[in-house]
Amino acid sequence: MFSWLARIMSACLRPVRRYARMSKDDFDDSSTIEDALLWTKDLEKHSCGEFSFAVVQANEVIEDHSQVETSPEATFIGVYDGHGGPEASRFISDHLFLHLMRIARENGTISEDILKSAVSATEDGFLTLVRRTCGIKPLIAAIGSCCLVGIIWKGTLYVANLGDSRAVIGCVGKSNKIIAEQLTREHNASMEEVRRELRSLHPEDSQIVVMKHGTWRIKGIIQVSRSIGDAYLKRPEFSLDPSFPRFHLPEPIGRPVLTSEPSVCTRVLQPTDKFLIFASDGLWEHMTNQEAAEIVYNNPRTGAAKRLLTAALIEAARKREMRYKDLKNVEKGIRRFFHDDITIVVVFIDHELLGEKMSVPELSIRGFIDTVGPSNFTIIRNME
């Protein structure tokens, strides 16, 4: 225990230089030493352009899972920010896209309702897994994940979101300046709108949201109000007993306090829409939508996601009066005291390619675990 605390203190108290903003030297310095916890794909092809992918691990076991699925006709992006463990985010990565393709094939199209159905099928599947295994692993009932997915098909972007990951689109405005537009609604109790929603849904429960450890939390436990999993906050049968005090509810829930209903949106892509940023909340803790959009827009495409991630890590280090080169020496697990697991996918949109038959392989690329294999996109080839 004491050696663990000593390592944290050592990491925090290394002699460092305070600085107020990121400079070119910061980026140059950060590129000279490899970060063993960083994984990237600098630039790959998708159905209407190119994409860049980057992930950094902070937890002892990474809880972010993510994927990009490519084909000549469509592109799928998924970012799954787990909490309590990696099981839910990994389950989503293994099942949601397959559900989406199956339901799309059955209905002959892609739509917001199809996305919702795929999310619902994934939730049902994970709760079935919880039911089968909670006898031997009761804490699986307290494992969940945020879920942000998007699919580009026939010039239209469809997005579904649960939790506090975020999708942002970069659009060119007047004077050729980039404008960041947030596409998704976040479901986090830190937002007044979410607290109002929860109180209106649970008027009988004065403790539906409470301030604990300086943060608004649902039932004093969790910040996100929508997720896949977190079965103990959705079904009374999965309530955890007092031997797990971190997840103990003062009284059993009468009805769900969390939901798996996603917020969805559709956008017909316009010539001024230049790129998308899909990222877990670990990125947005350290920069604004506009700052992220400007970093992407004002630099080369190659390595765009890594560049964003580096900027976030430089800022995370600065908040602890460190340099990123020192933060790189902090090992996983302890690294979580400095930043979260972070996943970023930057998707560039080349409008001249929309609707064209592209020479794009059907690939499934999984973030951080560095798995590349065949995708299942062929089934939508003939859909109207």
Side-chain angles (χ1 to χ4, degrees), residues 250-322:
E251 54 188 32
I253 59 170
R255 57 193 180 93
V257 296
L258 264 60
T259 175
S260 61
E261 178 73 16
S263 295
V264 295
C265 70
T266 301
R267 184 187 184 96
V268 177
L269 295 171
Q270 302 298 314
T272 53
D273 297 337
K274 298 303 180 183
F275 56 83
L276 304 161
I277 304 171
F278 278 62
S280 54
D281 71 313
L283 173 68
W284 310 112
E285 288 176 7
H286 301 297
M287 69 178 64
T288 66
N289 297 343
Q290 187 64 28
E291 287 168 343
E294 289 176 3
I295 289 171
V296 173
Y297 188 63
N298 294 323
N299 289 283
R301 286 188 175 189
T302 301
K306 182 180 181 180
R307 193 173 294 110
L308 271 181
L309 191 47
T310 300
L313 295 175
I314 288 170
E315 176 62 14
R318 185 196 68 79
K319 290 173 180 176
R320 293 298 189 96
E321 301 186 13
M322 296 179 71

Side-chain angles (χ1 to χ4, degrees), residues 108-129:
T109 191
I110 297 285
S111 68
E112 291 183 1
D113 286 341
I114 299 298
L115 263 182
K116 285 183 177 181
S117 295
V119 170
S120 179
T122 306
E123 165 84 343
D124 291 345
F126 187 69
L127 292 188
T128 297
L129 174 66

